[in-house]
Amino acid sequence: MAYELITMGRIGVDLYPLQTGVPLAQVASFGKFLGGSATNVAVAAARLGRRTAVITRTGEDAFGAYLHQALRDFGVDDRWVTAVPGLPTPVTFCEVFPPDDFPLWFYRQPKAPDLEIDAHDLDLGAIREARVFWVTGTGLSEEPSRTATLAALAHRAKSGPTVFDLDWRPMFWTDPAAARPFYTEALRHTTVAVGNLDEVEVATGVRDPHAAARALLDAGVELAVVKQGPKGVLAVSSAGDSAEVPPLPVTVLNGLGAGDAFGGSLCHGLLAGWDLEKIMRHANAAGAIVASRLECSSAMPTTTEIENAVTAGAVL
């Protein structure tokens, strides 16, 4: 039976401070969580009842073993999560300064195992058969992951919803100009592009939300989703449909992971065949719920929690 969602990209251990408003140097204790954007999207969709799997790689170490167990606990298939001997599982630290300052430190040296995904090891049949396939911009930042990502997209050939999370992380690239040709190539093979204002500018050279959405459609996608922060989210389809949805009021504790919850709910809505506005409202609500919680993966909301937030018009 085909998976409803397969994601491909980052995985790691998030070590989040259990004190807010405290610099990292002064934090006394941390919580350990499953992390990585593509992995969190799979978790978010699984929380909504979808059959999901992730393609990624870990170190051959205790943190890698922890991630396998966490994936299974969340109901995400880990059959395509393999170890890379000699490379440590990545660890990410953050500081938590609500409502809008959450600096990140990525420890991915000498190289992250998830950038060692090789095209020759991909189950291309499963990727093509998945109802939704999700890739990220980080996967384009180094070889062999870059070739593997583009090969997976080319083989899938838009056989179903194929989502490109623009996922711009400047620390993984020399400069935006180096990224744009690979983003352009990925957009040719995807049906949905998702990104914030910084990310759409990297992909298209355009920052205005409506102009950026048009540029993404011109690049080959069928649905452009532009996240505008406090102005909400804009979605425009090649069929002429559009939706612009304001954010839900929420007391932010940690904004990290909100985008991954948005992505998981977006995939859920695509699978359900919802109209564009309903998809965006539910995805917005999912992101807002996670922003009200400290952790990412274990904070992903249930269907009932999202529906309650949509009905209330706020995260209560």
Side-chain angles (χ1 to χ4, degrees):
M1 183 172 64
Y3 290 89
E4 291 180 289
L5 171 66
I6 295 177
T7 68
M8 179 173 170
R10 286 205 312 275
I11 194 170
V13 175
D14 287 344
L15 294 175
Y16 283 0
L18 300 182
Q19 298 86 37
T20 63
V22 178
L24 196 60
Q26 299 173 20
V27 173
S29 57
F30 297 85
K32 181 181 69 178
F33 306 100
L34 171 74
S37 61
T39 303
N40 280 338
V41 169
V43 170
R47 187 65 60 88
L48 299 175
R50 298 300 181 176
R51 184 169 183 252
T52 72
V54 60
I55 301 168
T56 190
R57 306 198 74 182
T58 70
E60 201 170 45
D61 52 23
F63 276 153
Y66 160 72
L67 294 175
H68 275 279
Q69 187 58 56
L71 286 168
R72 295 176 193 134
D73 290 345
F74 286 126
V76 177
D77 197 316
D78 65 343
R79 70 181 60 195
W80 296 305
V81 182
T82 57
V84 181
L87 291 180
T89 298
V91 175
T92 302
F93 290 88
C94 77
E95 291 178 336
V96 181
F97 291 99
D100 58 4
D101 188 18
F102 309 102
L104 281 169
W105 285 265
F106 291 97
Y107 288 81
R108 292 167 61 85
Q109 292 82 23
K111 184 180 184 181
D114 54 63
L115 293 175
E116 284 291 312
I117 299 172
D118 192 289
H120 298 93
D121 298 327
L122 296 175
D123 187 337
L124 293 174
I127 288 170
R128 187 175 179 87
E129 292 170 6
R131 291 184 61 194
V132 178
F133 181 53
W134 177 287
V135 300
T136 74
T138 296
L140 300 172
S141 64
E142 289 193 43
E143 294 288 6
S145 173
R146 176 184 299 150
T147 293
T149 300
L150 294 174
L153 290 172
H155 185 82
R156 182 168 171 83
K158 298 185 179 181
S159 57
T162 306
V163 187
F164 180 22
D165 175 6
L166 301 179
D167 185 41
W168 168 249
R169 300 286 181 174
M171 67 284 295
F172 301 157
W173 295 87
T174 54
D175 61 69
R180 190 165 296 146
F182 303 113
Y183 275 55
T184 299
E185 178 63 17
L187 288 168
R188 289 182 54 239
H189 300 290
T190 51
T191 65
V192 182
V194 182
N196 61 30
L197 294 177
D198 290 336
E199 291 166 337
V200 297
E201 185 175 19
V202 168
T204 68
V206 180
R207 189 172 182 85
D208 174 79
H210 289 271
R214 173 48 55 191
L216 290 168
L217 295 175
D218 290 344
V221 305
E222 298 168 12
L223 175 62
V225 180
V226 182
K227 294 182 281 189
Q228 306 175 79
K231 292 186 177 180
V233 61
L234 168 70
V236 182
S237 80
S238 58
D241 299 325
S242 65
E244 193 157 10
V245 177
L248 262 65
V250 60
T251 300
V252 175
L253 176 58
N254 185 356
L256 301 173
D260 303 331
F262 181 101
S265 181
L266 167 67
C267 293
H268 178 63
L270 291 171
L271 288 162
W274 292 343
D275 65 69
L276 195 53
E277 183 165 341
K278 182 175 180 178
I279 291 174
M280 292 302 112
R281 289 195 181 280
H282 280 70
N284 248 4
I289 290 168
V290 170
S292 73
R293 300 170 175 174
L294 174 64
E295 63 273 22
C296 291
S297 53
S298 55
M300 295 302 171
T302 64
T303 300
T304 299
E305 289 173 326
I306 295 172
E307 290 175 347
N308 288 343
V310 171
T311 301
V315 178
L316 304 177

